Amino acid sequence: MAERTFVMIKPDGVGRRLVGECIKRFEQKGMKLVGLKLQILGEDVAKAHYDEHKERPFFGDLVSFITSGPTVQMVWEGPDAVAQVRKMNGATDCKKADMGTIRGDFGMSLQNNMIHASDSVETAVREIALYFNENELWSYAMPDDGWLQ
Ligand code: CMP
């Protein structure tokens, strides 16, 4: 199976009507969408998602921000998917993110950085399982699969 990564558009990304823009960029890159949801996260899921940050001073703000409105969960598949999507999202702090990345082009904030993506293949496996059942992820062929290897 090709590499998969988990991507979440945060409440500010949804609120600023950037869902289509983000999806467009991943599609145009050649990634394949294999799972998609819109939901307002409960506190338990948000805390589990950001568990590695639980000792950080911004943890409370992070959880209240991510549960404050609708979010979009996606699983994207493609060669080197984890690193490619991280590169397309840009640096965590939007002010430091390169132009041409989603955060560099659309954001100004460190906390409200519009989009999240898994930082490793292991993290992707954990994050995908947190939001998707196996029967909510789809394996299918695309006509251009052979041109994207
Ligand atoms: P994300 O990629 O979702 O992973 C953890 C999130 O914590 C990060 O994006 C930011 O939204 C947020 N974050 C990271 N560092 C800080 C910080 N120093 N202050 C506030 N929020 C932060």
Side-chain angles (χ1 to χ4, degrees), residues 10 50 53 58 62 92 103 110-111 113 116:
K10 302 183 185 186
Y50 282 126
H53 297 298
F58 57 83
L62 188 56
T92 304
R103 289 167 175 163
L110 166 60
Q111 180 179 282
N113 58 3
H116 164 88

Side-chain angles (χ1 to χ4, degrees), residues 17-26 102 105-106:
R17 305 172 204 271
L18 291 169
V19 174
E21 175 67 32
C22 295
I23 290 177
K24 182 191 82 172
R25 288 180 179 220
F26 298 133
I102 291 168
D105 287 352
F106 300 112

Side-chain angles (χ1 to χ4, degrees), residues 2-34:
E3 191 169 298
R4 288 179 171 181
T5 191
F6 174 75
V7 180
M8 176 154 58
I9 304 177
K10 302 183 185 186
D12 55 335
V14 175
R16 293 182 53 204
R17 305 172 204 271
L18 291 169
V19 174
E21 175 67 32
C22 295
I23 290 177
K24 182 191 82 172
R25 288 180 179 220
F26 298 133
E27 280 193 315
Q28 287 182 342
K29 178 68 178 164
M31 313 285 300
K32 188 190 294 184
L33 184 61
V34 299

Side-chain angles (χ1 to χ4, degrees), residues 62-114:
L62 188 56
V63 170
S64 54
F65 167 60
I66 205 74
T67 57
S68 67
T71 54
V72 173
Q73 287 71 39
M74 300 180 283
V75 179
W76 289 91
E77 187 179 283
D80 195 33
V82 169
Q84 294 301 312
V85 169
R86 294 279 291 188
K87 205 190 276 191
M88 293 174 74
N89 286 357
T92 304
D93 184 348
C94 298
K95 290 186 290 307
K96 296 180 180 153
D98 290 336
M99 297 302 151
T101 65
I102 291 168
R103 289 167 175 163
D105 287 352
F106 300 112
M108 299 285 265
S109 171
L110 166 60
Q111 180 179 282
N112 307 324
N113 58 3
M114 300 165 294

